[in-house]
Amino acid sequence: MTRANEAWESLMKAYSVLMKQFNAEDIWGDLTMREYDVLYQLSKCDSPLRMSELNRHVLLSQPALSRMVDRLVERGYLDRCPDPGDRRGVRLTLTPAGRETQRQIGRPHARSVTRALNVLTPQELEQLAVITGKLSQSEE
Amino acid sequence: MTRANEAWESLMKAYSVLMKQFNAEDIWGDLTMREYDVLYQLSKCDSPLRMSELNRHVLLSQPALSRMVDRLVERGYLDRCPDPGDRRGVRLTLTPAGRETQRQIGRPHARSVTRALNVLTPQELEQLAVITGKLSQSEE
DNA sequence: TTAGAGTAGATGCAAACGCATTAGTCATCA
DNA sequence: TGATGACTAATGCGTTTGCATCTACTCTAA
């Protein structure tokens, strides 16, 4: 087994352990973690996001995302408008309620993340960010 | 936004990008990646694994894993025997067919992983393994 | 020995998922 | 212009998922 495979397995393990840990916390209200992730991704960009662009940031199939957005629009967290420049596409934005809900959940979640990653030294945090950054840029 | 949060976000992004990349490869036969993961986890331990133990290594709810094992037993990849020492529990093992299938898929997948992580230096690979190792050990 | 708490895994059920496909729009070029 | 291929998002449909619950077994202590 190569170093690369060991490293990848270790990364998957860490992801799995921490995801379970975060998921077990009682902070998610009526959202799933995946739904929160969609709100979070949208909260990061002030300009409206295209469906396909959002899909690039979320680990969901295109149809699954399409329907999740359906539900989030239905529940008042998202607005979905036709894109004036490309009539195939849609523009997604957070509603005020969606933004507020994201913040309400984001605050305690950010604290959990900080707590969980505090086992690392500042140098390790920096290294982790750099290394995983390189990994996600290496799309072929 | 703290360093810890940036690092976690970067880790999630890398996980998501690479998972999509691996999933898109045409090597999985009639298995999903999640099913392969179950076969892989079992392939690592020669002794039979308990359901609850396996569940600790897989990002799936207990009922979902229970049924996935159902299907894998049904399809001839796994054996599920009652645990003689604890009559509540079961012991899971790969069948020869399951082991063979895991190997057939594991070979090309391991190559993909190596290729994807080759953008990192040997030092970075080592650091990544160490850092993510610390993260998964920090269960409270 | 036995009552009560704890643990292991299975099952009912509604919700969510992925694959395949479709409808509608864009972009290129003959 | 009008056909062809690519792209964006939605929909049909069977499968899988998670939550809540259930049964069966174990463990502890009175």
Side-chain angles (χ1 to χ4, degrees), chain A residues 2-138:
Chain A
T2 70
R3 293 293 161 100
N5 286 272
E6 286 171 0
W8 173 243
E9 187 167 344
S10 186
L11 190 157
M12 285 204 300
K13 180 97 188 294
Y15 179 86
S16 159
V17 164
L18 289 179
M19 278 308 232
K20 282 189 181 185
Q21 205 170 287
F22 294 146
N23 190 49
E25 313 211 353
D26 190 24
I27 61 171
W28 303 104
D30 61 347
L31 294 182
T32 64
M33 282 184 79
R34 285 173 158 184
E35 287 168 339
Y36 171 76
D37 192 25
V38 166
L39 296 197
Y40 175 67
Q41 297 299 334
L42 283 169
S43 79
K44 284 196 302 181
C45 18
D46 28 55
S47 60
L49 213 53
R50 290 286 296 265
M51 201 77 138
S52 51
E53 190 57 35
L54 177 58
N55 205 169
R56 225 160 276 136
H57 299 306
V58 167
L59 195 45
L60 265 182
S61 70
Q62 177 270 315
L65 178 59
S66 180
R67 279 187 250 246
M68 181 177 288
V69 166
D70 264 353
R71 298 188 295 269
L72 292 172
V73 169
E74 178 81 23
R75 291 158 66 185
Y77 294 129
L78 262 54
D79 273 335
R80 169 168 43 188
C81 312
D83 186 326
D86 182 347
R87 284 188 299 172
R88 294 169 302 181
V90 294
R91 294 152 56 95
L92 301 172
T93 50
L94 284 178
T95 62
R99 191 169 293 276
E100 180 56 21
T101 301
Q102 187 280 313
R103 287 205 185 107
Q104 292 293 333
I105 298 176
R107 260 188 291 272
H109 178 51
R111 280 195 293 272
S112 302
V113 169
T114 301
R115 206 175 326 114
L117 271 74
N118 257 355
V119 297
L120 303 180
T121 66
Q123 291 89 344
E124 286 173 328
L125 279 180
E126 180 64 21
Q127 290 172 353
L128 179 58
V130 169
I131 291 171
T132 51
K134 283 178 75 170
L135 286 180
S136 29
Q137 279 168 10
S138 70

Side-chain angles (χ1 to χ4, degrees), chain B residues 26-125:
Chain B
D26 190 25
I27 61 172
W28 302 103
D30 61 348
L31 293 183
T32 63
M33 282 183 79
R34 284 173 158 183
E35 287 168 340
Y36 170 76
D37 191 25
V38 166
L39 295 198
Y40 175 68
Q41 296 299 336
L42 282 169
S43 80
K44 286 195 302 182
C45 20
D46 27 54
S47 59
L49 210 54
R50 288 289 294 266
M51 201 76 138
S52 51
E53 190 57 36
L54 176 59
N55 204 168
R56 227 160 274 136
H57 299 306
V58 167
L59 196 44
L60 266 183
S61 70
Q62 177 270 315
L65 178 60
S66 181
R67 279 188 250 245
M68 179 176 290
V69 166
D70 265 353
R71 298 189 294 269
L72 292 172
V73 168
E74 179 81 20
R75 291 157 68 184
Y77 293 129
L78 262 54
D79 274 333
R80 170 167 42 188
C81 313
D83 186 324
D86 182 346
R87 284 187 301 171
R88 295 169 302 182
V90 296
R91 294 152 56 96
L92 302 171
T93 51
L94 285 177
T95 62
R99 190 168 294 277
E100 180 57 20
T101 300
Q102 187 280 315
R103 288 206 184 107
Q104 291 293 333
I105 297 176
R107 262 188 289 271
H109 178 51
R111 280 195 293 273
S112 303
V113 170
T114 301
R115 206 175 327 116
L117 272 73
N118 258 355
V119 298
L120 302 180
T121 66
Q123 291 87 343
E124 287 173 328
L125 279 180

